[in-house]
Amino acid sequence: MMQGVQLEAAVVSDVGRKRQVNEDTALALSPAFIVADGMGGHEAGDLASQAAVAAFSERIAPGRPSTVVEVSEALDASRIAVAHVAEGRAHGAGCTFTGAVLVENEGELNWLVVNIGDSRVYLHRGAELQQVTVDHSLRDEVGPAADGTRVPRNVITRALGSADTTADSWLLPVETGARLLICSDGLTTEIDGEELRATLTMGGRAESVAAELVRRANEAGGRDNITVVVVDILAGGLAWHLGPERSTIGETYDDDTLTATVPRRRPPVLGGATS
């Protein structure tokens, strides 16, 4: 429990059915819930994701809300840690990095969602699922070619260890009854948004839901490592209610100073009401 907010979290990470090494690393220790996915085809992707998460967690004190400044400094530490792993390697090393951190901001408790790459954060409430993050992938940024062909989704445009390590960030309210899903793309390449929504809506404790999502991804092919973090806000948050008048996503933050900015774009809402 943190400032009256009661959370339940679970993490499940699986190598999948096609890979020999699990390059994903996860952190599920309040106030920080993070997934890092080692970049495929690079040497030491597993070491890069481990280094990124370790450096981040060292700068986020457990058991109390963090701050926007602390999260910014922790991200910088992760960038440096991955750069050290990549030094001297012919093909470099890198990872995506995404998650949510409880922060105290202007006297209120919020989720600060951060994202670099194509791992994702979703917000689930009632029967509604909202993808919070926007993939940093060539497919998402350029769309289909003139002949209708699509760029492979795994061509990412930002990652720790790459030329562009800029994070997108969003500020969300902490709401009782809401559920966060943080996952590597090994889940979302196998399970579409509607199946994600249905699985999260079926209910059950965070641990059973996380295990079920990984099971479904493996059943669908398991072509990549699969990591899932589920966080439930059990009590102490704001009340939420479905309806077109409410905003699904809060302010975004600029990575340089993590200063509030206007959201660039919002992924669609699945199920329930739209906004």
Side-chain angles (χ1 to χ4, degrees):
M1 187 174 295
M2 183 179 301
Q3 288 191 346
V5 174
Q6 184 180 352
L7 305 176
E8 181 178 83
V11 56
V12 178
S13 188
D14 191 87
V15 71
R17 294 186 170 181
K18 304 295 184 181
R19 302 292 180 91
Q20 300 301 311
V21 176
N22 190 347
E23 296 185 339
D24 291 353
T25 302
L27 172 67
L29 180 62
S30 187
F33 303 91
I34 303 293
V35 169
D37 180 357
M39 291 172 63
H42 284 209
E43 294 179 341
D46 54 336
L47 297 182
S49 67
Q50 292 166 19
V53 171
F56 189 89
S57 64
E58 286 173 1
R59 287 156 180 82
I60 302 295
R64 68 163 178 83
S66 191
T67 67
V68 172
V69 171
E70 289 172 343
V71 173
S72 181
E73 292 173 348
L75 279 172
D76 285 340
S78 294
R79 292 183 177 98
I80 293 169
V82 173
H84 286 329
V85 172
E87 286 176 357
R89 299 183 184 275
H91 300 290
C95 64
T96 67
F97 191 95
T98 196
V101 184
L102 279 170
V103 299
E104 189 171 358
N105 182 67
E106 297 182 351
E108 295 185 354
L109 201 60
N110 294 101
W111 291 111
L112 183 61
V113 173
V114 296
N115 180 59
I116 307 168
D118 63 351
S119 295
R120 293 179 178 176
V121 176
Y122 291 86
L123 174 65
H124 180 267
R125 290 178 287 193
E128 177 187 285
L129 182 66
Q130 169 78 61
Q131 182 182 327
V132 179
T133 56
V134 178
D135 293 351
H136 298 139
S137 69
L138 199 59
R139 172 187 290 190
D140 196 73
E141 292 177 5
V142 305
D147 61 2
T149 59
R150 302 192 72 188
V151 175
R153 180 183 152 182
N154 63 353
V155 180
I156 61 175
T157 56
R158 299 188 206 175
L160 296 179
S162 71
D164 190 348
T165 65
T166 305
D168 287 339
S169 304
W170 294 259
L171 195 66
L172 308 181
V174 178
E175 298 171 317
T176 299
R179 166 174 278 175
L180 294 178
L181 169 64
I182 304 156
C183 60
S184 62
D185 70 332
L187 178 71
T188 54
T189 54
E190 303 291 1
I191 300 179
D192 64 21
E194 179 53 36
E195 187 172 358
L196 284 178
R197 187 193 68 80
T199 305
L200 292 164
T201 302
M202 284 192 302
R205 298 188 64 171
E207 184 176 1
S208 62
V209 171
E212 175 64 13
L213 287 169
V214 171
R215 186 194 68 79
R216 287 175 179 245
N218 272 321
E219 190 175 69
R223 288 167 288 184
D224 199 354
N225 308 145
I226 310 153
T227 298
V228 172
V229 177
V230 175
V231 185
D232 290 338
I233 300 90
L234 302 180
L238 301 174
W240 65 269
H241 53 87
L242 298 178
E245 73 281 356
R246 65 155 173 76
S247 173
T248 56
I249 300 297
E251 299 171 293
T252 63
Y253 273 75
D254 176 81
D255 183 51
D256 291 335
T257 59
L258 289 182
T259 303
T261 60
V262 177
R264 293 179 303 122
R265 45 187 172 155
R266 295 180 179 179
V269 179
L270 300 175
T274 58
S275 60

